[in-house]
Every structure is written in structure tokens, then in C-alpha cells.
Amino acid sequence: MNHGRIEYVRNDKKFKEDLIRAGRLLQRFNLANYENDELKRRVLGELFGSVGKGVTIDHNFHCDFGYNIHVGENFYAGFNCTILDIAEVRIGDNCLIAPNVGIYTAGHSIHPVDRHKSGFAEPITIGNNVWIGGHSSIIGGVEIGNNSVIAAGSVVIKDVPDNVVFGGNPAKKIRDIDSTQ
């Protein structure tokens, strides 16, 4: 699992300013004409910490800050992708994310006192050549290995090794993938 858990406070001035900055950029991105790839690439370049070549993200994308998101080359995210990036999210090359996927670095205490005021976040790392099926959730602190597949509707709460199919709630190994094919 990733290390680097961070604590945050929602009413912090910088936290709010960074959310507003990202919100404005997301509004530009999501309201862009569907075929205006140049504008969408420019906005993602401003929003994300780093963006590789050949990146496509369909409309109705949401994130917290954006600058904690780093995507490699030939990345695709389908409609309604949400990345809560209070902590860093690193996504490798040649990754596919189906519609309605949530990648959540943020978490909160299970205790009700002040739960709404603060929280914690843990980084997420997604390797190269990963495919995440629709309606899946990736929870903070996990690493998904190279060439792996997350089956549709899965909830990933622990690390996923290279070259496997993981699925279910909570997700577990379903089978190995022959990476030579």
C-alpha cells in the first residue's frame, strides 16, 4: 500500500481557493464543445499536475484540485469520471477508465465528531496498461499493478498485483493474465 497519508481541514483558506480554481477549470472543460479537443487539452494542462500525449477525458469529469493528478500517455477516461485528488493520483501509460468510475484519495473518520470539518487522504498509483471497468471505485492508499484489469462494479480497497483480473466488493483476485499475449 502507498504511504503518505495526509490530514486536511475543509475550512482552510488555501483548500477553498484551490477548490475554486479547479472548479472554474472543470467548468470550462465540461462546457467545451464536444469536438474541441484543443481547448480540452489546454484546460487539462492547466488543471493536472502532468499530462502525457494522447489523453482523452469525456465530459462530466470532476476532481478536487487537479494538480495532484498525473496521467501518462494514451490515457482515456469515460463519462462521469471522478477523481478526488486531495492526495496524489498517478496513472501510467495506456490506461482505460470506463464510465462512472470513482478514484477517491479522500477519507473521513468513522467517529461523528467533526467528521464534516476534516479528513485524511492517501495516494493512489495505477500502473501501465490498466483497464478499470465501469462503476468501479478505487479507494485511497492502493496501488494497481501493470497490465491488470478491474472488473466492472468493483470496490478496490487493497493493492492489486501486476497481470491479474480483480473484481467484486471488496475486490479480490479472479484470475491471472498472460501478459505475453
Side-chain angles (χ1 to χ4, degrees), residues 67-81:
Y67 54 66
N68 288 323
I69 300 171
H70 304 272
V71 298
E73 295 187 1
N74 304 314
F75 170 74
Y76 171 79
F79 296 105
N80 305 316
C81 180

Side-chain angles (χ1 to χ4, degrees), residues 39-53:
L39 173 61
K40 291 190 285 186
R41 272 193 292 275
R42 269 198 329 267
V43 173
L44 289 176
E46 284 183 63
L47 181 63
F48 286 0
S50 61
V51 183
K53 294 177 183 173

Side-chain angles (χ1 to χ4, degrees), residues 4-128:
R5 180 177 170 140
I6 60 172
E7 305 290 325
Y8 67 90
V9 178
R10 292 195 63 82
N11 66 358
D12 176 76
K13 183 179 178 185
K14 178 156 176 28
F15 186 93
K16 287 182 177 182
E17 289 170 355
D18 290 352
L19 285 173
I20 291 168
R21 173 200 161 270
R24 288 181 178 143
L25 290 167
L26 287 165
Q27 186 175 38
R28 283 181 45 211
F29 178 83
N30 287 316
L31 293 176
N33 288 333
Y34 192 77
E35 67 280 355
N36 194 343
D37 292 334
E38 183 181 326
L39 173 61
K40 291 190 285 186
R41 272 193 292 275
R42 269 198 329 267
V43 173
L44 289 176
E46 284 183 63
L47 181 63
F48 286 0
S50 61
V51 183
K53 294 177 183 173
V55 170
T56 301
I57 299 177
D58 283 332
H59 280 92
N60 205 25
F61 173 72
H62 298 280
C63 64
D64 285 318
F65 303 133
Y67 54 66
N68 288 323
I69 300 171
H70 304 272
V71 298
E73 295 187 1
N74 304 314
F75 170 74
Y76 171 79
F79 296 105
N80 305 316
C81 180
T82 298
I83 302 177
L84 299 185
D85 66 309
I86 292 174
E88 190 171 81
V89 175
R90 290 207 168 263
I91 302 173
D93 295 336
N94 306 310
C95 290
L96 300 170
I97 296 179
N100 301 304
V101 168
I103 299 173
Y104 308 121
T105 67
H108 298 277
S109 172
I110 61 169
H111 304 290
V113 176
D114 293 332
R115 181 186 297 155
H116 66 286
K117 293 180 182 177
S118 63
F120 63 88
E122 297 179 289
I124 294 173
T125 302
I126 299 171
N128 296 319

Side-chain angles (χ1 to χ4, degrees), residues 137 150-151 154-160 166-173:
S137 297
I150 306 302
S154 297
V155 179
V156 180
I157 62 170
K158 65 180 182 176
D159 289 352
V160 176
F166 251 54
N169 181 3
K172 63 183 180 185
K173 182 179 170 183

